[in-house]
Amino acid sequence: MVIFVFALGMRLLFSVVYPHLGLNLGAGDGYDQIAASLVNGDGFRLDAGTESVERLPLYPLALASLRVVFGTADWPWQVMQSLLGAWSCVIVFRLASRLASRAGAIAAALFCAVHPGLLLYAARPFTEVPYGFLLLWQVEVIVARRWTQAGLSWGALLLTKSVAWIHVVLLPLIAWRNSGRAAARVMVVALLALLPWLAYQFASNGSVAASSMAGRALYQGLYVSRHVSWTTPSGDLVIDAEREMDAELAARGIAADADAALRVGTAGALAHQWISAHPTAALRLWARNLVLTWYLGRSRLSMALYAVLHGALLVAAGLGLKRAGGANESRLVAGACVLLITAYTAVHAAIHPGVRYILPILPLTAVLAAAAWRSLPKEEHRR
């Protein structure tokens, strides 16, 4: 309760002062626009065009629900995200308690409670905080062997960000530590949770896809990767990448108001063409991004801050992994953390290098790092 109240207070306080900080972080991702469109009865639209296939539904539906009840103010969704972020810190404490001493678990939870990136995105209308909560919830229920909830949480993740397909890496771990039937149940429940959205897409657009953003993400990630360095911040490169993509598509006769699936698919094809033409350079960029993704920010100051903060965290996580072990549940927690941290880092090194995109796995990294603080007593390991 103390952890929850402290983490909640930090997030609510930051949400109050955030408008006065003068941070120029660019526009949102359009989730609030879709929410407004839903409330106004105009459908799931990002703009005045056709039904949007560029965003997944869970987060816009949550924003729309809050708009219906509380109006257009920011504070309702900021409170929602503050609550989810604070409860995420509690889950971090509970997971870390399976790997480390009480002191280590508290340290991991407090790290997440005051982490600047996690505080920032609790105050902004983005998916990072809700998605991070759902990710932690899935790991927790997997450890508790609640397979239906594990499938529901995965389905919710897939309805929030398409990158959640990464969680397929957990299925072999579940099958190994429990049974193949458990892994199959998780997958089936997740697919069932996804079915209503797929049916809606088919009815609206005549096609079915969990998300069609992958091509654009790859194009933007490649553009950002080619314009940053070990010490060069990302700044507004995502906006520049969007403009460059529009110019390339226009040169091929694809207008800005053309079908979204066509535009995104063509952007992906352009990115794949560059990678095919420059495989060595693409591999070198990806290998560099495995490290750079953990501290790439919009400014040199934020890069320096995250380099120190996350560098120390990763070192502690490596030491914690070495010390983790003992009971089956401890190995399951450590295994899930390692698999997800590795998978998210590898994927975002290609499609979206930058600190923002690895924020959801920072709490799992803190869970591993907790074991470096002080390992469990020997008798608890033997048990």
Side-chain angles (χ1 to χ4, degrees):
M1 183 58 69
V2 172
I3 291 170
F4 175 79
V5 171
F6 176 72
L8 178 61
M10 290 294 296
R11 281 151 178 76
L12 293 176
L13 177 61
F14 185 85
S15 295
V16 171
V17 302
Y18 170 69
H20 309 288
L21 295 179
L23 298 176
N24 183 20
L25 300 178
D29 279 353
Y31 296 107
D32 49 350
Q33 298 175 39
I34 297 174
S37 179
L38 287 169
V39 173
N40 294 334
D42 297 325
F44 196 84
R45 301 177 188 274
L46 187 57
D47 49 39
T50 59
E51 294 282 320
S52 176
V53 296
E54 300 180 39
R55 298 292 185 271
L56 289 165
L58 190 57
Y59 188 61
L61 286 172
L63 294 182
S65 300
L66 292 172
R67 274 177 174 260
V68 170
V69 177
F70 299 103
T72 60
D74 291 343
W75 68 263
W77 57 260
Q78 289 177 331
V79 170
M80 175 193 73
Q81 295 187 170
S82 295
L83 289 168
L84 293 177
W87 194 251
S88 296
C89 295
V90 175
I91 298 178
V92 166
F93 171 76
R94 295 200 299 223
L95 289 174
S97 296
R98 299 178 181 273
L99 297 179
S101 67
R102 185 177 181 83
I106 291 174
L110 291 180
F111 175 87
C112 295
V114 301
H115 187 278
L118 296 175
L119 292 177
L120 173 63
Y121 281 95
R124 304 193 70 201
F126 288 83
T127 60
E128 272 62 34
V129 169
Y131 188 85
F133 165 77
L134 291 170
L135 189 154
L136 283 166
W137 176 40
Q138 187 187 35
V139 173
E140 185 176 42
V141 295
I142 284 174
V143 174
R145 295 176 174 82
R146 299 198 291 266
W147 308 124
T148 299
Q149 291 184 45
L152 287 173
S153 60
W154 192 11
L157 285 162
L158 288 166
L159 291 170
T160 306
K161 296 179 74 170
S162 57
V163 73
W165 63 264
I166 287 176
H167 289 240
V168 72
V169 301
L170 295 177
L171 295 180
L173 180 66
I174 294 171
W176 177 44
R177 286 293 175 186
N178 297 277
S179 68
R181 291 180 62 184
R185 184 175 178 182
V186 171
M187 183 172 63
V188 169
V189 173
L191 292 175
L192 289 174
L194 197 59
L195 276 180
W197 170 241
L198 300 181
Y200 173 82
Q201 279 199 31
F202 184 79
S204 301
N205 309 307
S207 61
V208 172
S211 173
S212 59
M213 287 293 288
R216 173 176 291 176
L218 181 61
Y219 185 97
Q220 291 179 347
L222 187 59
Y223 183 92
V224 171
S225 296
R226 292 163 60 187
H227 289 81
V228 297
S229 70
W230 294 109
T231 57
T232 303
S234 60
D236 293 323
L237 284 176
V238 172
I239 297 175
D240 295 340
E242 191 76 12
R243 292 171 180 161
E244 183 73 13
M245 185 187 78
D246 288 342
E248 285 206 59
L249 294 179
R252 288 162 174 77
I254 302 176
D257 58 352
D259 179 72
L262 173 63
R263 288 176 55 79
V264 173
T266 305
L270 292 172
H272 282 106
Q273 287 176 13
W274 190 91
I275 293 171
S276 298
H278 308 87
T280 302
L283 181 61
R284 186 168 58 248
L285 289 174
W286 177 78
R288 179 208 61 186
N289 287 352
L290 292 175
V291 177
L292 185 62
T293 292
W294 281 85
Y295 71 93
L296 180 61
R298 292 174 58 89
S299 67
R300 283 191 170 88
L301 178 61
S302 65
M303 288 181 73
L305 171 64
Y306 286 129
V308 173
L309 196 61
H310 295 170
L313 179 67
L314 289 170
V315 170
L319 181 59
L321 178 61
K322 184 178 179 181
R323 293 182 177 180
N328 183 52
E329 288 183 357
S330 299
R331 295 193 182 98
L332 189 58
V333 172
C337 289
V338 170
L339 287 173
L340 291 175
I341 292 167
T342 303
Y344 273 86
T345 302
V347 169
H348 283 300
I351 64 169
H352 266 148
V355 168
R356 170 191 164 186
Y357 302 102
I358 54 92
L359 283 178
I361 59 169
L362 273 176
L364 292 182
T365 315
V367 169
L368 275 184
W373 181 277
R374 188 172 61 199
S375 59
L376 290 167
K378 292 183 179 179
E379 59 272 15
E380 193 165 343
H381 273 301
R382 287 196 296 270
R383 185 184 66 183

